[in-house]
Amino acid sequence: MPESYAKASTSPPLRIRTAQRSDGEPLGALSRAAWSPLHSVQPRPAPPYEPFFDDRHQPSDYLVAETDGQVVGFIRLVLATPLACNRHVRQIQGLEVAEAARGRGVARALLRAACEAARRQGATRITLRVLGHNAPARALYEAEGFAVEGVLPGEFLLEGEYVDDVLMGRALTA
């Protein structure tokens, strides 16, 4: 059974665990349903859909949130780069919550679980990138101790608008 990383006090109870290969289909469906230009630089997904897990996206990279056995969110946590001198840094590369589960603390619980998992892996720092116009995500990250460490102005052209790429990070202190 996969290791459980965190529990949040929501109703119904929220369980966060490491993804399993069998989570691929529900995670893919959640990702497609949650797609928005608010947080994605990729085009809207269209059939035929690629598998959720592939050579670059392994189940061990993901923490999954579930309630009553249903997947309601996920976060991807990976090495920031393949460089040995950067092994102390983990990077969040995706955080999604099902529409029906939003506003219940799922994203916050996933973020905290990712920080805890990164600490267990020996990381001392965690980073992420967020689109400048994604105010809800930026507010969550700031509330959880992340600070803006850089901005790439107008880095993406999304739906006819130039959008900043905001780099955020924080130390992982005990």
Side-chain angles (χ1 to χ4, degrees):
M1 184 168 174
E3 183 176 355
S4 181
Y5 284 102
K7 291 190 178 187
S9 59
T10 61
S11 184
L14 178 68
R15 178 175 177 245
I16 298 185
R17 60 174 174 76
T18 302
Q20 303 170 29
R21 179 89 32 205
S22 60
D23 291 319
E25 190 61 36
L27 290 174
L30 185 154
S31 186
R32 290 187 297 273
W35 182 92
S36 166
L38 185 63
H39 62 80
S40 181
V41 297
Q42 299 295 325
R44 181 180 295 279
Y49 301 118
E50 296 291 322
F52 188 80
F53 298 123
D54 59 26
D55 291 342
R56 291 184 38 235
H57 303 87
Q58 295 295 314
S60 59
D61 298 337
Y62 293 84
L63 296 176
V64 173
E66 64 181 11
T67 57
D68 292 332
Q70 298 296 311
V71 172
V72 296
F74 67 84
I75 194 167
R76 181 170 185 244
L77 180 69
V78 296
L79 289 168
T81 73
L83 302 171
C85 62
N86 193 231
R87 293 262 183 233
H88 65 287
V89 181
R90 294 298 179 277
Q91 188 171 71
I92 293 169
Q93 293 183 351
L95 169 59
E96 301 210 25
V97 175
E99 183 72 35
R102 292 185 187 158
R104 297 185 190 166
V106 175
R108 186 177 305 276
L110 282 164
L111 192 58
R112 289 178 178 175
C115 289
E116 184 180 323
R119 278 188 206 95
R120 273 197 278 257
Q121 294 169 11
T124 60
R125 186 169 153 62
I126 191 165
T127 64
L128 59 85
R129 297 168 74 163
V130 61
L131 294 174
H133 65 234
N134 192 344
R138 290 181 65 181
L140 170 65
Y141 300 140
E142 288 171 6
E144 290 299 314
F146 286 80
V148 173
E149 298 180 338
V151 176
L152 301 173
E155 186 72 2
F156 301 107
L157 179 60
L158 302 175
E159 299 191 327
E161 300 286 329
Y162 290 101
V163 178
D164 296 348
D165 188 11
V166 180
L167 313 174
M168 300 182 79
R170 63 167 278 194
L172 292 171
T173 55

